[in-house]
Amino acid sequence: MNEVNKTLFIPLYGKSQISKQGIILDDPMAEKIWAAEEFPIKGKSKSKWLAYNMAMRARVFDDWTKRQLQQNDDALVLHIGCGLDSRCKRVKQDYKAWIDCDFPEVISVRRNYYTETENYRMMALDATDTEQIKQLPNRDTAIVVLEGVSMYLSKNQLHTFLKVLREKYNHLHILMDIYTEFGANASKYKNPVNDVGVTKLYGIDDIGNLLSGLELRFIKEHSLTPAVLVNELKPLDKVFFKLMFNRFLYRKIYRLIELGS
């Protein structure tokens, strides 16, 4: 795997560790895969605070995906940059079509742990390749999960990716985490992905500019650290976590936005 692909082990580690504690995220697949892969995590990537953060982020995406499926039961779920994540199992909501997408080498590893069904498929996909995006299955509505993806795409690449999706699907529901430009610039000095060799990330400040001409609209911003999940931490950990991930300061670096058509 290249450096970008290796970043998938950081959230996998975090989710496995928090799942073992029985809080925030129930993820037995993360525990199983982490035990089998034994990827050498080091440095900031092993921080328990980051593990809490990764588990909370995953849970927020899970809950959003479940709500979208409840409202759009015929929709196609596209999890772009799925890594080895088990969202397809964690989301306890029936779906008619779910496709987990990532680079070929990631999907190859993923097939060791997941089995395709009539409703669930895995697909090799490069989000910068417009022809591959056009080959995704047709559907009136698509629920698009973009967790840990946007920061590896330039603004032009992300704009083009969203444009092709918008042209393909009549109705889009997208949840996407983004770095701000400040966050992306600061990440070169202190970011867990540095531990696996990633040195270049991209940030977005002007959402309106990103969506220009796309017939997509900004719906709302979600919290990456909702109080209901922070409250599951032990009292002392809760205090320190709130200090480290102060919502006002945190969103200066990292945000979670919902888009729709």
Side-chain angles (χ1 to χ4, degrees):
M1 291 188 182
N2 63 24
E3 286 76 11
V4 172
N5 292 340
K6 290 176 183 176
T7 62
L8 68 85
F9 289 105
I10 299 172
L12 179 68
Y13 171 79
K15 287 178 285 190
S16 70
Q17 299 306 300
I18 302 309
S19 180
K20 287 178 182 177
Q21 295 183 34
I23 60 173
I24 301 172
L25 194 73
D26 181 23
D27 199 344
M29 278 298 288
E31 296 179 45
K32 173 184 175 180
I33 297 172
W34 179 256
E37 291 293 323
E38 295 184 336
F39 185 83
I41 285 286
K42 61 182 181 179
K44 296 179 288 292
S45 300
K46 294 189 71 173
S47 162
K48 74 173 181 178
W49 310 110
L50 179 64
Y52 287 146
N53 190 230
M54 292 292 96
M56 287 183 194
R57 183 181 78 173
R59 174 68 181 277
V60 172
F61 271 94
D62 287 359
D63 291 348
W64 177 84
T65 304
K66 180 178 181 179
R67 289 195 301 271
Q68 291 300 324
L69 279 168
Q70 289 171 338
Q71 297 168 20
N72 305 276
D73 61 356
D74 196 45
L76 166 66
V77 179
L78 295 172
H79 186 179
I80 310 295
C82 60
L84 299 177
D85 184 80
S86 68
R87 178 159 295 116
C88 59
K89 293 181 176 293
R90 292 195 309 266
V91 173
K92 306 303 181 185
Q93 183 67 32
D94 291 338
Y95 52 81
K96 295 182 180 179
W98 184 308
I99 302 180
D100 278 337
C101 306
D102 213 311
F103 290 113
E105 51 268 46
V106 175
I107 294 298
S108 178
V109 176
R110 186 175 180 86
R111 291 187 185 279
N112 295 329
Y113 301 101
Y114 297 88
T115 302
E116 292 187 324
T117 67
E118 182 180 350
N119 298 334
Y120 171 73
R121 291 173 54 198
M122 291 173 276
M123 181 181 295
L125 180 80
D126 181 342
T128 66
D129 188 326
T130 57
E131 291 306 311
Q132 289 185 21
I133 301 166
K134 291 176 182 178
Q135 294 306 310
L136 288 166
N138 294 322
R139 207 84 173 191
D140 184 64
T141 302
I143 299 167
V144 183
V145 176
L146 286 173
E147 182 183 12
V149 173
S150 73
M151 56 285 300
Y152 299 105
L153 303 176
S154 69
K155 292 178 184 177
N156 286 339
Q157 288 173 330
L158 184 58
H159 179 89
T160 300
F161 172 72
L162 295 173
K163 180 176 184 293
V164 178
L165 283 179
R166 182 65 189 93
E167 291 171 348
K168 187 170 184 64
Y169 300 105
N170 291 328
H171 303 286
L172 274 176
H173 304 278
I174 302 171
L175 190 62
M176 173 173 69
D177 55 337
I178 61 172
Y179 278 119
T180 63
E181 292 183 11
F182 171 76
N185 290 331
S187 70
K188 68 183 69 173
Y189 304 106
K190 188 177 182 181
N191 192 310
V193 299
N194 302 151
D195 296 330
V196 293
V198 173
T199 57
K200 178 61 177 177
L201 296 173
Y202 299 91
I204 302 167
D205 284 344
D206 190 342
I207 304 300
N209 180 259
L210 173 68
L211 301 181
S212 177
L214 295 185
E215 296 184 9
L216 277 174
R217 59 194 176 92
F218 171 81
I219 303 296
K220 64 181 291 188
E221 182 169 350
H222 295 256
S223 172
L224 284 152
T225 55
V228 66
L229 299 183
V230 175
N231 287 338
E232 292 191 34
L233 302 181
K234 296 176 181 178
L236 193 57
D237 279 358
K238 187 193 314 184
V239 171
F240 279 100
F241 186 87
K242 286 182 176 180
L243 290 174
M244 296 178 70
F245 293 93
N246 177 282
R247 184 174 181 181
F248 175 76
L249 296 176
Y250 192 33
R251 70 180 301 274
K252 295 285 187 181
I253 299 171
Y254 192 42
R255 299 173 63 193
L256 182 59
I257 61 171
E258 180 178 350
L259 309 175
S261 62

